[in-house]
Amino acid sequence: LCRGPYQIYEKHLRLCPQDYTCCSSQMEETLALQSERDFLKSVENHSQFLLTTFTQRQRRFDEFFRELIDLSEKSMNQMFTKTYGRLFTQNSHVFQELFVELRRYYSGGSVSLTEVLSDFWSRLVERVFTLVNPQYQFSDDYLECVSKHAEQLQPFGDVPRKLRVQVSRAFIAARALSQGLAAGRDIVNKATKMTPDSECMRGLMRQWYCPLCRGMPSLRPCRAFCLNVMKGCLANQADLDTEWDYFIDALYHVAEKLEGPFNMELAVDSISVKVSEAIMHMQENSVSISTKVFQGCGNPRPVPARSKRSPKESGGNRRPFRTYTPDEKPTTAAGTNLDRLVTELKERLRPMGSFWVSLPHTICNDEKMAADVTNEDRCWNGQTRGRYLPEVMGDGLANQINNPEVEVDIGRPDVKTRQLIMELRVASNKLRHAQSGQDMDFMDSEEGSGSGGDDASERYNDDWPGYGPHSPPFSKPPRNAASNPAKPPRVRERNGPKGNRNHGRVPSATSQLASSLLPFLVLPFVLMKAPWWR
C-alpha cells in the first residue's frame, strides 16, 4: 500500500492530479491502457445479452423455417404419391420447382413470390388440363394458350389467390424476421467494437485508477462522476437510441404477426391441401372449362385409337388423399413450435428498448465500476474523496457540449454511427412493410398485385368468353413473344409428361387417363357443384 512517505511527487503525470502519488508517468500510461480494456470489457459484458439473443434466436428461427419448408415438401410428396401414384410422380418436377423457388426466396434470393406462384399454377393448369382431356392431343402452343388465359378462366377457382395471400404474407414475415435478427446481431457487433479516443481514455483513467495513484485503491468513483465519463465515451452509441427502439418495436410486431395471421406453420401446411382443392375444382368443372378453352384456343386433335388401361395400371385403387391431424403432424428437429419460439423472442425483446442510452447507467450501477448512490460523500470525485458536484449530462452527442469529464466534439458526428443508423432504418422499413404483408424489395414490381395482401387490388380482364352475356369468343393469341410482353415466355420442359411429346402427341402415360381420374375426386372435403362461370 502506497501512502505518506512512500509516495513521490510526480509533476509529469498527464491524467491524474500532479501531487504526491504512487504512480510514475510510465505506470500512469500502463493504467490508462488497462482502463481502456476494462471499459471495453464492461461494454461487451453488458451487451452480451443482445448479441446472444440475436445470434441464437436467428439460428433457431432459421433452422425452424427451413425445416418447415422441407417437411411441407416431404408431406406433399408422400400424400400425393399415395393418392395419385404415377400421375403425380410423372409431374413431380412441377412441385419440386415450387419448393426450390420458395427456399430461394426465404434465403434472400431476388425472387418474386407472386411470379413463383403464378408460374406454378400456369404449369399445373397445363398438366391437369391434359389429364382431364385424355382423348385429345395438345401441342406446346395450345397449352401455352391455355396457361396465358388461366387468370380470366380461373380453372382452379379462388384457390390460387388464397394460397398466394397466405404463403406470401407468411414467407415475407419469416424472411424479414430472420434477416432482422441477423441485422440486429451485426449492428450490436459493430456498435460495441469501438476504439476510445484520448479524451475518453483520460476520463476512464481519472475515474478508475487515479484513486490508486493517490493511495486509495479501494475507493470507487462517485456515480455521477462515472455517468459523465460514460455518457461522454458512449455519446455516439446513445444517438442510436431512437432508431434502435423503432427497430426493436418492428421486430416485436413482426413476431406477433407470425404467431397470428401470418403463421408460417399454417401457411406451409396449407400448400398441399390447397393444391388438392384446386385440382378438385378443375376436375369438377372440367367440362365447362374445356368448352371455353376450345372456344378460345381452337379445337384440338383427337388422339388415335388406343387400348384401354387396366384399373391397376391407372391407379384407380389408390388410397384417398388426406391431411395430417394435429396429433399426426411431424415434429421439427428444432424440438419446438412457432408459438414457443415467438413467445421466447418477445420476452427477450422487451428489455432491449432504450439499451444504448441506458448503457452508461448500466455500467455505473455495477458496484465494481462505481460507488453506490448512497455513498455520495465517500467516493472519488476526480480529485479526492468527497461529493461530486457537477451536474450529470443528458444523453447523446449534442448534450455533451459541457461535459466536464470528457471533451466531445459535437460538430463531428461519427461516420460509423451514421452508417449504423442507416442500417437500422433499412431493417426497420423492411420489418414494417412485412407487418402488412409487403416485401419492400418488390414494391415497385408487384405494386397492386396483391402480394402484400391487398385483395381489392386484383382485377380480372373481360376478354374471356362468358365474362358478359354477349361476349364473343376470344381470338387465338399470336404465337410470337410480343403477345404477352408483361411476362417473358417460359422455357418448356423437355423431360416429364409434356416434354416427351412425339409429333405433337402426349405420351401414353398421360393420354390414356380416362379411367384414372377417380382419385382426384376422393378428398376429405365436399365441394358444392355449381356452374363454373357466373
Side-chain angles (χ1 to χ4, degrees):
L1 184 63
C2 173
R3 284 187 178 178
Y6 297 100
Q7 292 182 338
I8 59 173
Y9 185 80
E10 178 60 72
K11 63 180 180 179
H12 298 293
L13 296 182
R14 297 183 301 105
L15 306 176
C16 295
Q18 296 184 358
D19 202 344
Y20 284 98
T21 178
C22 300
C23 298
S24 63
S25 57
Q26 184 177 1
M27 288 176 60
E28 183 187 51
E29 183 176 344
T30 300
L31 291 173
L33 294 175
Q34 182 60 45
S35 68
E36 178 187 7
R37 289 192 291 269
D38 293 345
F39 168 68
L40 294 176
K41 185 65 175 177
S42 181
V43 170
E44 178 184 349
N45 289 341
H46 290 293
S47 61
Q48 191 61 43
F49 170 76
L50 300 182
L51 196 59
T52 300
T53 295
F54 285 124
T55 302
Q56 293 182 350
R57 298 297 135 177
Q58 194 279 333
R59 183 172 63 250
R60 293 193 68 185
F61 271 101
D62 183 63
E63 291 174 352
F64 183 78
F65 289 144
R66 290 180 185 278
E67 190 163 9
L68 282 180
I69 300 172
D70 292 344
L71 286 174
S72 177
E73 182 178 23
K74 182 179 179 182
S75 173
M76 173 179 280
N77 288 338
Q78 291 175 344
M79 291 187 291
F80 279 32
T81 300
K82 288 180 180 179
T83 304
Y84 307 130
R86 292 179 62 192
L87 302 183
F88 171 70
T89 56
Q90 290 172 341
N91 296 280
S92 61
H93 61 285
V94 175
F95 302 89
Q96 291 170 359
E97 289 170 6
L98 171 64
F99 283 96
V100 166
E101 292 302 301
L102 290 177
R103 288 189 187 90
R104 193 155 72 93
Y105 173 83
Y106 171 75
S107 300
S110 182
V111 179
S112 165
L113 286 174
T114 298
E115 292 182 4
V116 166
L117 293 169
S118 177
D119 287 346
F120 167 72
W121 291 115
S122 294
R123 289 183 172 93
L124 188 61
V125 72
E126 295 175 6
R127 301 303 192 280
V128 178
F129 186 76
T130 302
L131 298 179
V132 298
N133 292 282
Q135 68 273 30
Y136 297 107
Q137 58 184 5
F138 301 102
S139 66
D140 287 350
D141 289 335
Y142 196 99
L143 292 176
E144 188 73 22
C145 175
V146 175
S147 64
K148 280 182 178 180
H149 293 86
E151 185 176 351
Q152 296 93 352
L153 184 64
Q154 296 187 72
F156 299 123
D158 199 34
V159 175
R161 183 195 65 82
K162 291 179 179 178
L163 184 63
R164 173 179 52 76
V165 170
Q166 187 174 15
V167 168
S168 294
R169 287 173 172 176
F171 270 78
I172 289 170
R175 183 169 88 158
L177 182 67
S178 181
Q179 291 179 343
L181 292 172
R185 174 199 63 206
D186 296 340
I187 288 168
V188 172
N189 253 327
K190 294 174 185 177
T192 55
K193 296 293 187 293
M194 64 186 82
T195 303
D197 59 23
S198 59
E199 287 298 321
C200 174
M201 288 185 63
R202 176 177 178 275
L204 295 172
M205 173 63 188
R206 290 183 67 244
Q207 73 167 350
W208 284 333
Y209 288 104
C210 284
L212 183 148
C213 292
R214 294 299 299 272
M216 297 176 282
S218 62
L219 195 62
R220 295 286 179 265
C222 299
R223 188 170 182 276
F225 181 21
C226 175
L227 284 175
N228 276 338
V229 173
M230 291 302 157
K231 289 194 175 196
C233 290
L234 296 170
N236 288 303
Q237 281 71 18
D239 279 351
L240 297 174
D241 191 65
T242 299
E243 294 299 332
W244 175 261
D245 285 353
Y246 286 150
F247 171 68
I248 296 299
D249 185 67
L251 273 175
Y252 190 93
H253 283 96
V254 169
E256 282 189 322
K257 290 284 189 178
L258 276 169
E259 67 177 351
F262 297 177
N263 192 294
M264 181 72 164
E265 282 182 305
L266 297 179
V268 296
D269 284 348
S270 72
I271 294 176
S272 58
V273 175
K274 282 187 164 55
V275 170
S276 293
E277 289 181 14
I279 295 173
M280 179 68 177
H281 184 280
M282 186 166 179
Q283 172 67 17
E284 288 274 317
N285 299 276
S286 60
V287 175
S288 61
I289 293 172
S290 297
T291 300
K292 291 179 173 61
V293 170
F294 296 160
Q295 261 189 314
C297 296
N299 293 320
R301 289 187 301 170
V303 298
R306 61 192 185 281
S307 60
K308 186 177 180 181
R309 296 179 65 188
S310 66
K312 181 177 180 181
E313 184 184 4
S314 66
N317 58 354
R318 294 280 179 183
R319 288 198 287 179
F321 171 83
R322 68 179 181 90
T323 58
Y324 283 112
T325 65
D327 293 335
E328 295 175 311
K329 275 177 57 177
T331 56
T332 64
T336 185
N337 57 46
L338 185 58
D339 290 340
R340 187 187 308 168
L341 283 176
V342 170
T343 298
E344 292 173 353
L345 176 62
K346 292 196 299 183
E347 289 175 353
R348 290 174 173 266
L349 288 175
R350 286 191 185 99
M352 290 186 184
S354 302
F355 172 80
W356 300 106
V357 294
S358 301
L359 187 55
H361 297 269
T362 304
I363 294 175
C364 294
N365 285 340
D366 188 340
E367 62 181 7
K368 297 179 181 179
M369 299 299 176
D372 189 83
V373 68
T374 59
N375 293 329
E376 291 182 355
D377 296 322
R378 299 184 302 277
C379 55
W380 174 254
N381 62 15
Q383 297 294 328
T384 187
R385 184 196 304 266
R387 181 181 293 267
Y388 182 79
L389 298 178
E391 67 174 333
V392 177
M393 297 292 101
D395 301 314
L397 186 66
N399 288 317
Q400 307 311 309
I401 186 171
N402 293 318
N403 192 315
E405 308 305 332
V406 180
E407 185 177 340
V408 180
D409 185 358
I410 65 171
R412 295 181 59 188
D414 182 59
V415 175
K416 176 181 174 182
T417 303
R418 302 303 107 182
Q419 180 181 353
L420 293 178
I421 288 174
M422 289 304 301
E423 291 180 19
L424 285 169
R425 287 176 179 170
V426 170
S428 297
N429 282 335
K430 287 186 177 181
L431 290 165
R432 280 196 290 268
H433 279 94
Q435 291 173 36
S436 57
Q438 296 176 327
D439 189 338
M440 199 173 73
D441 294 336
F442 295 95
M443 287 293 289
D444 293 334
S445 61
E446 296 187 355
E447 187 175 358
S449 69
S451 63
D454 185 8
D455 299 342
S457 67
E458 295 191 346
R459 296 291 183 268
Y460 297 99
N461 297 331
D462 57 358
D463 58 351
W464 188 266
Y467 183 89
H470 307 292
S471 300
F474 64 89
S475 300
K476 188 173 182 180
R479 297 183 181 181
N480 53 39
S483 63
N484 191 9
K487 183 177 176 182
R490 291 184 285 106
V491 178
R492 291 212 173 261
E493 303 91 339
R494 291 300 171 186
N495 53 2
K498 189 164 62 177
N500 288 334
R501 295 191 183 93
N502 297 319
H503 307 291
R505 295 184 182 220
V506 291
S508 60
T510 56
S511 63
Q512 302 174 4
L513 295 174
S515 62
S516 64
L517 294 171
L518 182 61
F520 285 85
L521 301 174
V522 188
L523 294 171
F525 34 75
V526 178
L527 297 178
M528 297 297 294
K529 291 188 178 181
W532 177 81
W533 194 264
R534 297 183 183 275

